[in-house]
Amino acid sequence: MPAKLPRRFCCDEDLALIGYDGRDAAKDLTSLRTRGPRQPTQELIDVILADGVDGSLVLDIGAGVGAIHLALLEAGASRAVDVDASREYLAAAREEAHRR
């Protein structure tokens, strides 16, 4: 890591400095499809579902492959906005949403 990170991250090179290169997106998507969400992610989903999500708008910041917002949409949320610094993770989440 450089001694001083940029104040704003504007391009792939800047994002790579902090590890948002997306190199694990395909692996993480395969893991979601075969094993489901990771335990801490599933725990978060369960807590949110306990309050109910019918008709909710979900803002998923740092969404990765989309495990949380996809589960909430399937449980009745009306819309979801997926935000992630990695184009590869955004593409993986989009692919999984289309598949489902």
Side-chain angles (χ1 to χ4, degrees), residues 23-62:
R23 71 178 150 213
D24 293 331
K27 180 182 74 143
D28 289 349
L29 182 56
T30 298
S31 177
L32 175 64
R33 289 177 175 170
T34 58
R35 296 185 201 109
R38 295 176 182 152
Q39 183 180 351
T41 302
Q42 186 60 56
E43 290 173 4
L44 177 58
I45 292 167
D46 293 343
V47 167
I48 296 168
L49 291 178
D51 281 343
V53 295
D54 285 341
S56 296
L57 170 62
V58 176
L59 174 59
D60 192 353
I61 300 172

Side-chain angles (χ1 to χ4, degrees), residues 60-71:
D60 192 353
I61 300 172
V65 296
I68 295 171
H69 70 266
L70 291 170

